Amino acid sequence: MKLQEFQAKRVFRQYGIPVPQGDVAEAAEEARAIAKRIAGPVAVKAQVLVGGRGKAGGIRLAKTLEEVEQLAADILKMEIKGLKVKKVLIDPVADIRGEIYLGMILDRARRRVVVMASSEGGSTSKMLPPVARRGSYRRQ
């Protein structure tokens, strides 16, 4: 199953995991209304099931409602790696002191879930050397 960021945040919220109180929009005017409710700087984030959104210009920061509306309009016209952007997530800008990227995938051959975590992440995490082997953990 693949989830867009806004869908994953909804699932997290259901289980009490804290997530930013943003919302998803399908039009620039909706994005502006969401940003108005947030009442502060926001991130306008393309919602497509592909990595590299930020590098492709699909994640932008806005300080004013006018910027939100313009950026949302621009992003909603984009195609990222062949996928048309149909939705944008509007989230409050966070004071990020540290990040960790977490991914899980089913290894069908071994009938196990493989969990990957990295402080280096996003689309570039695929280029990092492997550090875990058969259940062991080794930090680089």
Side-chain angles (χ1 to χ4, degrees), residues 18-135:
V19 294
Q21 294 300 310
D23 207 351
V24 69
E26 294 182 23
E29 300 78 23
E30 282 181 87
R32 182 186 182 114
I34 293 165
K36 188 174 182 178
R37 286 195 308 265
I38 292 171
V42 298
V44 182
K45 305 168 94 176
Q47 296 299 284
V48 288
L49 291 172
V50 67
R53 295 176 299 157
K55 288 182 179 180
I59 299 175
R60 306 282 302 277
L61 301 180
K63 294 179 182 174
T64 69
L65 296 177
E66 292 75 22
E67 280 183 296
V68 172
E69 193 166 356
Q70 185 59 58
L71 290 173
D74 293 346
I75 291 171
L76 286 164
K77 292 176 192 166
M78 292 177 72
E79 234 182 58
I80 299 176
K81 295 186 180 178
L83 296 175
K84 172 85 175 96
V85 178
K86 297 178 182 175
K87 297 177 181 169
V88 289
L89 175 64
I90 308 301
D91 262 342
V93 170
D95 179 18
I96 299 172
R97 294 194 180 120
E99 288 182 294
I100 187 163
Y101 293 84
L102 182 67
M104 295 186 288
I105 189 166
L106 179 62
D107 181 338
R108 294 183 193 281
R110 291 195 173 106
R111 296 179 149 179
R112 295 174 192 235
V113 174
V114 177
V115 178
M116 299 166 282
S118 174
S119 60
E120 307 293 326
S123 61
T124 58
S125 62
K126 295 171 193 76
M127 295 183 274
L128 295 172
V131 295
R133 299 270 192 261
R134 298 194 66 177

Side-chain angles (χ1 to χ4, degrees), residues 9 12-13 15-21:
K9 287 180 176 183
F12 287 167
R13 231 179 254 122
Y15 288 92
I17 299 169
V19 294
Q21 294 300 310

